Amino acid sequence: MKFWQLNTRRKKSLVEALLVLSAYKVILIFLPFRHFVKNGKKTAITTESEERLEDIIWAITVLGNRMPLGFTCLVQALSVKWLLRNNYNLQLHIGVSKSNDHQFSAHAWITHDDKIILGGQKNQVYEPILNWK
């Protein structure tokens, strides 16, 4: 579907997601990941509407699949975590895996109420090293 054919809510989600994805892609070049995972004081927690949750996941997925240089799973997960920062049921996971030929790989994904909503892979065999709520 073309951008101009989308409803206003979806257009807004796409633009917002593109800005945040681009910002994280650039920021991760200059700052180590540890700067993002800080346990600050919790303020009053609210949840995002189901509609907003679906729109943001849709926008991140569309942009992640269609942008020429793409966005890594970590950039996508950080962007979702920031865009839906008021949703206390959202969790960012990072896992690592070592293949039979000793190749190391890492992956980031997002869960909501313990269900993978972004970054899920068939036969996901990553050993979680970080679960950030």
Side-chain angles (χ1 to χ4, degrees):
M1 183 180 272
K2 300 288 184 200
F3 180 79
W4 300 113
Q5 295 172 328
L6 296 171
N7 65 38
T8 304
R9 194 183 79 237
R10 286 278 167 115
K11 286 179 191 173
K12 181 180 180 252
S13 295
L14 269 177
V15 170
E16 188 178 19
L18 180 59
L19 291 172
V20 174
L21 283 164
S22 299
Y24 271 117
K25 189 169 186 164
V26 171
I27 290 169
L28 281 170
I29 292 170
F30 300 105
L31 292 176
F33 177 71
R34 71 176 182 270
H35 288 284
F36 297 99
V37 185
K38 293 183 180 180
N39 292 325
K41 293 180 181 179
K42 296 285 184 189
T43 57
I45 297 174
T46 60
T47 58
E48 303 283 349
S49 72
E50 195 68 28
E51 189 176 78
R52 172 133 170 96
L53 176 74
E54 289 174 9
D55 285 347
I56 294 300
I57 296 301
W58 170 83
I60 296 289
T61 302
V62 166
L63 292 168
N65 292 334
R66 296 184 187 220
M67 292 305 287
L69 297 177
F71 298 102
T72 65
C73 56
L74 180 59
V75 169
Q76 290 180 40
L78 285 169
S79 297
V80 168
K81 184 80 171 133
W82 191 83
L83 287 166
L84 300 172
R85 62 193 169 277
N86 293 328
N87 193 319
Y88 64 91
N89 294 325
L90 200 76
Q91 195 166 8
L92 184 147
H93 303 270
I94 296 178
V96 294
S97 176
K98 192 174 183 182
S99 66
N100 292 339
D101 59 348
H102 303 291
Q103 293 291 325
F104 174 80
S105 64
H107 184 57
W109 64 96
I110 295 285
T111 60
H112 181 261
D113 291 332
D114 298 321
K115 178 184 167 206
I116 296 174
I117 61 169
L118 181 78
Q121 297 180 339
K122 285 188 176 186
N123 305 321
Q124 191 160 328
V125 292
Y126 293 96
E127 182 69 32
I129 58 171
L130 173 71
N131 297 318
W132 176 27
K133 195 157 192 165

